Amino acid sequence: MSPPHRPDQAVPAYLADQPFLLREARQLGLSEDVVRGQRFRRVFRGVYVGAGTPDSVRLRAGAARLLLPDAAVFSHHTAAQLGDLPVPDEPAIHVTLPQELQRRRVPGIVTHRSLSVTARSFAGFAVTTPERTFLDLAKQLSLVDLTVLGDAMVRRHFTTAERLREAASAANGRRGVPLARKSAALVRPRVDSPMETRVRLLVVLAGLPCPEPGREILDEYGQWVATPDLLYRAQRIAIEYDGELHYRRRCKWRQDLSTRDLLREMGWHVIVLTAEDVFRTPLHTLHRIHDSLAGRAYPRLPATLDPRWEQHFPPRFDTLSA
């Protein structure tokens, strides 16, 4: 029987900011009333943390680990989130277990099973490899979101576009494999943000030629001038995406204006896009890019857009779509 614990009695410091099991608290003499009171909050059934500890995927993964067998590997959204990779919000913790282990049902923890799981250590957690994470999420993400993830993995040097293509090509009999193969073929290096990926995919899925991401522009003396988000070098067309950061940081905004003026003096056509251009008026944006390519005599340019882009970027807010 645990000794009584007064509500005002000091609590061990490590219990304030790290997840702990209710049974461990009992062994320290803490009563259930104290643990379930205002000083702590529940993360999962039987797992608590100090009430003031900020929520994060690392905190929830650490709490889940207290309930899971040693063979459990964090996977799917959780593997991506632990690597600070861009995936849609998912509060549940995802883990994969060997096929022979039985699942333990815990609200807030989604358990998958697999015949084999290749894991790596990242930030103190056992997580699925980038290639396996990419294949797993192909069963749950859209083509655009999966390619955003792939671009970010390559940018962070977690993997390469070639490895993702090889993994997708070698996968058989898995739900999501066709999508993984299509997405892997679209993954590119040198992509700085998810929105840059979305702009490129909007262009490509509409049947327009794929612009190059993250390539330098040099002047006649070989000096660096700019590295646009996307470009068509032969046609001297640069596409830039301006997020909120450009407008919050005045120095950055003024520097970009100066650089773009210089590019125009060098004969470049600069197209500047914002989130509204991608999400609210994607058709108008595509016409801008198509007209620019046509005006600069891009060879064998399609006369019309491929309408299948609308499956991935619904133009329901596009005032020009009618």
Side-chain angles (χ1 to χ4, degrees):
M1 180 175 178
S2 300
H5 184 87
R6 299 195 316 273
D8 60 344
Q9 188 174 352
V11 174
Y14 73 90
L15 291 186
D17 57 8
Q18 294 183 23
F20 60 89
L21 293 168
L22 178 58
R23 66 171 180 267
E24 293 175 345
R26 289 175 182 151
Q27 292 171 358
L28 291 171
L30 295 176
S31 70
E32 289 192 22
D33 288 341
V34 170
V35 175
R36 290 173 175 163
Q38 296 182 352
R39 302 174 72 176
F40 300 96
R41 62 179 175 86
R42 192 174 80 165
V43 185
F44 299 112
R45 187 174 59 211
V47 183
Y48 291 79
V49 72
T53 306
D55 182 50
S56 69
V57 66
R58 288 173 174 79
L59 173 75
R60 281 178 274 122
R65 189 161 51 185
L66 298 176
L67 301 172
L68 297 168
D70 291 341
V73 177
F74 292 102
S75 61
H76 297 74
H77 288 79
T78 306
Q81 291 169 326
L82 286 170
D84 294 321
L85 293 168
V87 288
D89 289 340
E90 169 58 89
I93 293 296
H94 288 255
V95 297
T96 296
L97 298 176
Q99 191 74 37
E100 64 272 13
L101 292 183
Q102 290 188 341
R103 302 185 188 189
R104 177 183 177 184
R105 297 190 180 279
V106 178
I109 300 176
V110 179
T111 304
H112 310 264
R113 289 197 293 176
S114 177
L115 290 174
S116 62
V117 187
T118 303
R120 67 179 185 128
S121 178
F122 185 84
F125 295 94
V127 301
T128 48
T129 64
E131 296 79 17
R132 174 62 185 266
T133 303
F134 184 83
L135 290 173
D136 283 340
L137 286 173
K139 295 178 285 188
Q140 301 178 5
L141 301 185
S142 67
L143 174 65
V144 173
D145 285 338
L146 187 62
T147 310
V148 165
L149 172 64
D151 278 359
M153 285 178 166
V154 172
R155 178 67 180 180
R156 297 281 302 278
H157 303 291
F158 290 165
T159 186
T160 64
E162 291 75 19
R163 277 189 239 151
L164 291 178
R165 287 194 286 269
E166 289 169 2
S169 177
N172 291 307
R174 294 169 60 100
R175 184 166 56 90
V177 167
L179 182 66
R181 290 174 179 168
K182 185 174 182 179
S183 175
L186 294 169
V187 170
R188 295 290 184 274
R190 301 182 305 278
V191 179
D192 283 335
S193 74
M195 284 305 298
E196 290 178 26
T197 301
R198 294 179 193 280
V199 171
R200 188 182 82 250
L201 291 183
L202 174 64
V203 172
V204 171
L205 295 173
L208 297 179
C210 183
E212 292 184 90
R215 290 293 191 184
E216 293 183 343
I217 296 175
L218 308 179
D219 64 16
E220 58 184 313
Y221 305 105
Q223 299 298 310
W224 178 87
V225 175
T227 305
D229 298 327
L230 299 164
L231 63 77
Y232 298 96
R233 188 175 298 279
Q235 288 70 38
R236 294 200 163 212
I237 298 172
I239 302 174
E240 291 274 60
Y241 176 79
D242 278 3
E244 291 184 7
L245 178 64
H246 290 79
Y247 302 102
R248 289 203 307 264
R249 292 173 54 188
R250 187 170 182 81
C251 289
K252 169 68 174 166
W253 176 65
R254 294 182 65 178
Q255 181 183 2
D256 285 346
L257 290 179
S258 251
T259 299
R260 290 164 188 172
D261 284 344
L262 180 56
L263 286 175
R264 292 183 180 104
E265 290 174 9
M266 294 171 60
W268 283 78
H269 178 50
V270 182
I271 300 172
V272 181
L273 303 177
T274 65
E276 182 169 342
D277 297 308
V278 179
F279 294 123
R280 287 188 60 84
T281 59
L283 180 58
H284 178 53
T285 298
L286 288 170
H287 282 315
R288 287 174 63 191
I289 296 170
H290 183 276
D291 291 348
S292 180
L293 289 166
R296 300 218 165 188
Y298 193 98
R300 299 181 296 280
L301 181 70
T304 59
L305 301 173
D306 186 332
R308 287 176 291 184
W309 69 269
E310 296 181 19
Q311 301 171 19
H312 309 282
F313 294 87
R316 57 186 178 272
F317 299 116
D318 193 334
T319 57
L320 302 181
S321 61

